[in-house]
């Protein structure tokens, strides 16, 4: 499989932006990790909405860049970042 260099560049930029957010918002990141384990409906609803917005932004970036199969690439990107950020998942 040949990967388009523009996709690799975009992916690196998205990873870098995500890492900067994690670094600059440490407390929020820790709270997010805790929220992943909570069962209360309002917390789960807020988590789902927040994660959905991040997913939408990543998918739109892929779509705008003309990346083929932006939905699939978003899922792969998201899974890679989740496992990198939360290795115990």
């Amino acid at each position: 499989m040949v990967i388009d260099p523009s996709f690799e560049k975009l992916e690196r930029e998205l990873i870098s932006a995500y890492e900067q957010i994690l670094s600059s918002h440490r407390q929020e990141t820790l709270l997010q990790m805790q929220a992943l384990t909570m069962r209360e409906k309002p917390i789960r609803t807020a988590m789902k909405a927040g994660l959905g917005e991040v997913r939408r932004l990543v998918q739109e970036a892929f779509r705008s860049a003309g990346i083929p199969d932006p939905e699939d690439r978003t899922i792969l990107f998201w899974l890679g970042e989740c496992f990198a950020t939360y290795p115990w998942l």
Side-chain angles (χ1 to χ4, degrees):
M1 173 183 194
V2 176
I3 298 176
D4 183 343
S6 63
F7 169 73
E8 288 181 335
K9 181 179 184 292
L10 175 60
E11 189 172 47
R12 282 192 308 274
E13 290 171 352
L14 288 169
I15 290 169
S16 177
Y18 187 72
E19 288 171 346
Q20 288 174 10
I21 290 168
L22 292 177
S23 175
S24 65
H25 294 84
R26 181 163 169 68
Q27 296 303 317
E28 292 88 343
T29 302
L30 293 172
L31 189 58
Q32 181 185 35
M33 285 188 269
Q34 290 176 338
L36 289 171
T37 66
M38 296 181 181
R39 295 288 180 210
E40 290 81 2
K41 187 166 178 80
I43 294 171
R44 295 188 67 77
T45 299
M47 281 293 298
K48 186 176 181 177
L51 294 174
E53 179 63 11
V54 172
R55 181 181 167 275
R56 186 191 66 74
L57 291 169
V58 170
Q59 187 170 322
E60 184 55 35
F62 288 160
R63 183 174 284 115
S64 294
I67 306 297
D69 304 314
E71 295 84 5
D72 293 343
R73 293 307 312 175
T74 299
I75 291 168
L76 293 173
F77 175 82
W78 187 251
L79 287 174
E81 283 308 298
C82 281
F83 285 117
T85 303
Y86 312 112
W88 59 87
L89 291 178

